[in-house]
Amino acid sequence: MLPYLMSVIIGYLLLINMIGFIIMGVDKKRAVKNAWRIPERVLFMAAFAGGGVGCYLGMHLFHHKTKHWKFQVYVPLAALIYILLLLKLYQAV
């Protein structure tokens, strides 16, 4: 049962990180075009729902939100939380 749960958690984290990465890219593209933007709270929600690594990578690859202090602090924090959680779960198996 535990290996199945671990694979579900890893699958979820992969998916939410892909979503975080993609929405960072989409928001950057919209910012350049002065189009409707994705609200910052949605970007933070994706990061703290497990997509911190994807959001962080998207921030730096797309050069988006990298000068905003909230994103400099909270997105890496979200990434660190889920990395530590994953390590803790891996040790439990």
Side-chain angles (χ1 to χ4, degrees):
M1 178 78 173
L2 199 55
Y4 172 75
L5 180 60
M6 193 65 171
S7 64
V8 169
I9 292 170
I10 290 171
Y12 168 77
L13 290 174
L14 286 172
L15 179 65
I16 194 68
N17 277 286
M18 285 189 292
I19 290 169
F21 181 82
I22 290 167
I23 63 174
M24 280 294 186
V26 168
D27 193 48
K28 174 63 175 190
K29 190 173 186 178
R30 289 178 178 176
V32 169
K33 292 182 176 184
N34 284 328
W36 176 84
R37 303 284 301 280
I38 297 171
E40 287 186 354
R41 73 178 182 282
V42 173
L43 300 174
F44 283 124
M45 284 173 36
F48 279 97
V53 173
C55 288
Y56 182 80
L57 293 174
M59 276 176 56
H60 289 282
L61 182 71
F62 302 119
H63 304 285
H64 188 53
K65 302 282 189 186
T66 55
K67 295 185 180 184
H68 296 263
W69 75 268
K70 288 181 187 178
F71 284 88
Q72 289 178 347
V73 172
Y74 294 131
V75 172
L77 178 65
L80 180 64
I81 288 169
Y82 282 96
I83 289 170
L84 292 175
L85 178 66
L86 213 84
L87 289 172
K88 200 69 163 165
L89 285 172
Y90 182 74
Q91 290 174 352
V93 173

